[in-house]
Amino acid sequence: MCQIPAGMTRLIQNMKSKLAVMKFGGTSVGDAGCIARAAQICAVAARERQVVAVVSAMSGVTNRLIEAASLSEAGDSTKSSELLAAIRTQHETALGALISDEPARRKLLQRIEGILGEAARLCEGTALLRELTPRTLDLISSVGERLSAPMLAAAISTLGVAGESVDATELIVTDGFYGAAEPLMDLTSQRCEARLRPLLQKGVVPVVTGFIGASQEGALTTLGRGGSDYSATVLSAALMADEAIIWTDVDGVLTADPHLVPEARTIPEISYREAAELAYFGAKVLHPKTLRAVMPYEIPVWIRNSFAPEKPGTKIGAKGASGNGGAKALTAIRDVSLIAVGGPGIVGLTDVVGRTFSTTAKVRANVLLISQSSSQNDICFIVASADAKRTVDALREQFAQDLAHHKVEHISLDPHIAIVAVVGENMRGAVGMAGRTFSALGRESVNIIAIAQGSSETNISFVVEEKDMKRAVVTLHREFGLGVAEVSQVGSVSRR
Ligand code: ADP
Ligand code: ASP
Ligand code: MG
C-alpha cells in the first residue's frame, strides 16, 4: 500500500475538520463565571472541530461607552471619566477571578489599561471640541469588544486549548458608513483566509471582536448596535463554516419574547425567512442583518443558551420544520414612531408617495411598515424612534410649499405606538389567518391603528398603541396555541 505523505495527511485532516463559528453575546460574557463557561464551551467544541469565537462586549459596557461619549460631547468630563472607571473595575474584577497566573494576568491588565487609555483620550478630545463625530463614536463604542476578546482568549488558554484574540479590524472590511457599516465580502474572505485559516490549522481558537470592522482605508467602523450576531455570520460566510452558533441567554428562538410572554416555547427549527422576519420586527435575539450573510450558502445558524449548553436550541436553516402553514411566532417592536403625511388635498398630488419615500431614503431612515388609507388621505409609515425627528424635519422641508398652500395638511408624529407581527411560512396560504388575528384582538378591545400594506407570505403585521402591545401579543399567542409544545425533531447535538 502506498504511503500518504505527512503533509497530505494533514491536508486531509484539515479538510475533514468541520468549522463552527461561535458567538457569545454580552450576557454570555457578563462576568468571570460567564466568561469561564463560554471558554469551556469553546474548549469542548475545539476537541472535535475547528472553532472561531466571536465575542460581544461584557453586558452593559457598550451602553456605558456611548453614554461616556455623549457626556463628553456635552462637556461633562467628570461623569464620563467615572463611567470609564466603572468599566475598568468591571474588567479588572472579572480578570482577577478568571486568570490565576500572575504574569498572564499582569499582561492582560496592561492591555486593558492601554485600551481604556485610548478611550479616555478620545473622550477628552470630544469634550474639548464639544463635537462627537460618527467616526469617533465608533472608536469609543468599539472598546468593549476590544476588552472582552483578550479575556475570553486567555480563559480558553487556561483550559489547555490555545486561544488568540484577533481584532476584527484586521478581518472585516466594510464600507465607510460609521455606525451601520456594511461588510465587503470578497475582501473580508481574503483577509479571513490569510489571518484565521493558519491559526485554525494549528488548532488555535481565534477569538474575534464582534461588532467591529474597518473601512478599506483602515478606519474603524461598527456594524450597528447588536451587530456581533452579524459579525459571526459574516465570518461564517467568509470562511465557509459548517455552522454558526449564537450563544445567548435564552434557549433559542422562542414563540415570543419570554420577557413579554412567560409561556413562550422554544422553536426547534425555523426557516431563514421566518427568523429574518422576526428579527426585522424586533426579536432582539437576532440582529436583523444576521441571516443575510449565510442564506446564499445555506450555512445553518443555531441559537443556543450559554447558561444551559445541554439544550439543543433552535436551528435556523433553509427549510425550517414543516409547519402547518400557520403562525409560528410573534414579535413586537416598541421603539418606533408612526409618521403620517396627509390631508384631503394630497389626493391631487400625484408625486406625494414618491417624494415621501425619497425623503426617508435621503435621511437613511429605515421604513419598517407602510400603510395607506384607500381614500389616499394619509400615508402612514413607521420608522425607528431614533430616526423619527430627522425624518419629520426633512419631510417638513420637502413639503414646505404644499403645507403653506394646504395641499398637505399635516405631517404628524406619534411615538406611542408599537408594531406587532405574526410570523410563519406560508401564512398567505393558510385560510383565515388575518380574520383570526383581528377577531381575537377585537374581542380583547385592542385598537388597530394601521395594517401593513400588501401581503407578505411570512407575516401579518399591524400597529397598535404602545400600551396595548403586550395584550396583543399575549392574546395572539393564546389564539394560535403557540404555548403548546411542538414535537421536536432535533437531537441534542448541533449538526448541519
Ligand atoms: P445577546 O446579548 O446574547 O446578544 P440579546 O439580549 O441581544 O442577547 O438577545 C436575547 C434576548 O432576545 C432574550 O433575552 C429575549 O428577551 C429577546 N427576545 C426577543 N424576542 C425573542 C424570541 N422570539 N426568542 C428569543 N428571545 C427573544
Ligand atoms: N456590544 C455591541 C452592542 O451592545 C454589539 C453586540 O453586543 O452585539 O450593541
Ligand atoms: Mg444581541
Side-chain angles (χ1 to χ4, degrees):
M1 216 173 14
C2 75
Q3 191 80 26
I4 300 174
M8 184 69 87
T9 315
R10 217 176 308 122
L11 192 69
I12 293 169
Q13 198 60 41
N14 290 335
M15 280 163 62
K16 265 198 217 157
S17 23
K18 297 230 162 155
L19 169 63
V21 174
M22 295 189 170
K23 177 253 171 178
F24 295 88
T27 42
S28 298
V29 291
D31 59 25
C34 295
I35 297 175
R37 205 175 303 116
Q40 183 73 25
I41 290 172
C42 291
V44 169
R47 281 193 215 132
E48 288 170 6
R49 53 196 156 154
Q50 299 180 341
V51 174
V52 173
V54 176
V55 71
S56 288
M58 290 177 82
S59 51
V61 169
T62 313
N63 284 347
R64 284 208 191 115
L65 289 164
I66 292 172
E67 204 187 329
S70 49
L71 283 166
S72 302
E73 187 186 21
D76 194 342
S77 296
T78 316
K79 283 228 179 75
S80 169
S81 309
E82 279 169 18
L83 282 171
L84 293 184
I87 294 172
R88 173 179 290 111
T89 310
Q90 185 177 355
H91 287 82
E92 282 175 1
T93 309
L95 199 60
L98 207 56
I99 311 291
S100 51
D101 178 59
E102 184 58 31
R105 194 168 61 213
R106 212 172 318 115
K107 210 168 129 200
L108 263 173
L109 266 176
Q110 262 173 16
R111 189 154 169 193
I112 288 175
E113 286 300 328
I115 295 167
L116 282 168
E118 278 176 43
R121 282 193 296 282
L122 286 164
C123 284
E124 280 159 23
T126 302
L128 217 59
L129 295 169
R130 295 284 171 97
E131 189 193 13
L132 180 61
T133 62
R135 181 174 176 169
T136 307
L137 180 61
D138 270 4
L139 279 167
I140 297 174
S141 52
S142 72
V143 161
E145 275 72 9
R146 292 178 57 210
L147 294 172
S148 60
M151 295 213 306
L152 179 59
I156 293 171
S157 298
T158 62
L159 300 174
V161 176
E164 183 174 323
S165 73
V166 181
D167 210 302
T169 48
E170 292 182 53
L171 307 172
I172 300 184
V173 186
T174 70
D175 62 16
F177 196 84
Y178 298 107
E182 264 308 322
L184 307 173
M185 285 310 295
D186 288 346
L187 290 170
T188 300
S189 291
Q190 287 166 23
R191 296 265 184 102
C192 288
E193 282 300 332
R195 178 75 174 94
L196 297 182
R197 198 67 79 184
L199 293 178
L200 291 168
Q201 282 165 352
K202 280 193 286 181
V204 173
V205 175
V207 181
V208 181
T209 53
F211 184 47
I212 309 174
S215 68
Q216 277 173 276
E217 294 74 35
L220 186 144
T221 55
T222 66
L223 309 183
R225 291 306 307 272
S228 299
D229 297 335
Y230 192 29
S231 306
T233 51
V234 164
L235 294 179
S236 301
L239 290 163
M240 282 298 145
D242 294 280
E243 59 184 7
I245 306 177
I246 294 182
W247 292 95
T248 183
D249 61 351
V250 284
D251 288 347
V253 177
L254 274 69
T255 49
D257 185 345
H259 292 113
L260 217 55
V261 186
E263 59 274 21
R265 297 277 177 150
T266 307
I267 302 169
E269 278 194 60
I270 190 166
S271 70
Y272 288 130
R273 273 161 55 115
E274 290 168 323
E277 206 78 62
L278 285 172
Y280 183 77
F281 285 113
K284 203 183 159 211
V285 66
L286 272 183
H287 184 276
K289 291 181 184 168
T290 311
L291 300 172
R292 239 187 235 182
V294 287
M295 275 170 73
Y297 313 106
E298 299 197 1
I299 297 170
V301 177
W302 290 81
I303 310 292
R304 297 185 62 184
N305 193 342
S306 68
F307 297 84
E310 71 288 354
K311 294 191 177 167
T314 297
K315 182 186 184 183
I316 307 173
K319 291 201 191 76
S322 54
N324 54 6
K328 196 155 194 178
L330 303 168
T331 182
I333 182 166
R334 180 187 270 134
D335 298 324
V336 287
S337 296
L338 178 87
I339 297 176
V341 177
I346 71 161
V347 180
L349 290 177
T350 49
D351 58 350
V352 67
V353 175
R355 283 164 65 198
T356 299
F357 293 111
S358 56
T359 306
T360 58
K362 207 166 73 196
V363 295
R364 294 213 181 189
N366 185 20
V367 177
L368 289 158
L369 182 150
I370 303 171
S371 167
Q372 187 176 16
S373 64
S374 53
S375 62
Q376 290 190 353
N377 282 354
D378 258 352
I379 295 162
C380 303
F381 61 93
I382 310 261
V383 295
S385 291
D387 297 340
K389 189 181 174 304
R390 76 166 192 279
T391 308
V392 168
D393 289 348
L395 285 168
R396 294 214 167 114
E397 200 182 313
Q398 168 65 231
F399 289 105
Q401 292 282 341
D402 309 278
L403 284 163
H405 296 112
H406 300 287
K407 287 184 185 153
V408 172
E409 288 194 350
H410 58 258
I411 293 175
S412 60
L413 176 72
D414 181 354
H416 305 294
I417 54 114
I419 303 178
V420 176
V422 185
V423 172
E425 200 85 61
N426 304 323
M427 289 253 292
R428 196 162 57 178
V431 183
M433 287 301 296
R436 261 178 91 182
T437 301
F438 296 115
S439 316
L441 295 171
R443 281 197 301 276
E444 291 292 322
S445 311
V446 173
N447 183 33
I448 312 290
I449 298 173
I451 298 174
Q453 193 174 35
S455 53
S456 148
E457 274 187 42
T458 29
N459 86 75
I460 296 172
S461 44
F462 54 91
V463 183
V464 295
E465 285 175 49
E466 195 178 359
K467 66 174 175 50
D468 289 340
M469 181 187 91
K470 182 169 178 172
R471 197 149 42 97
V473 175
V474 169
T475 300
L476 294 178
H477 201 263
R478 206 181 313 121
E479 173 68 24
F480 293 117
L482 296 178
V484 180
E486 288 183 53
V487 180
S488 165
Q489 294 170 343
V490 185
S492 58
V493 214
S494 299
R495 58 174 184 247
R496 197 162 183 171

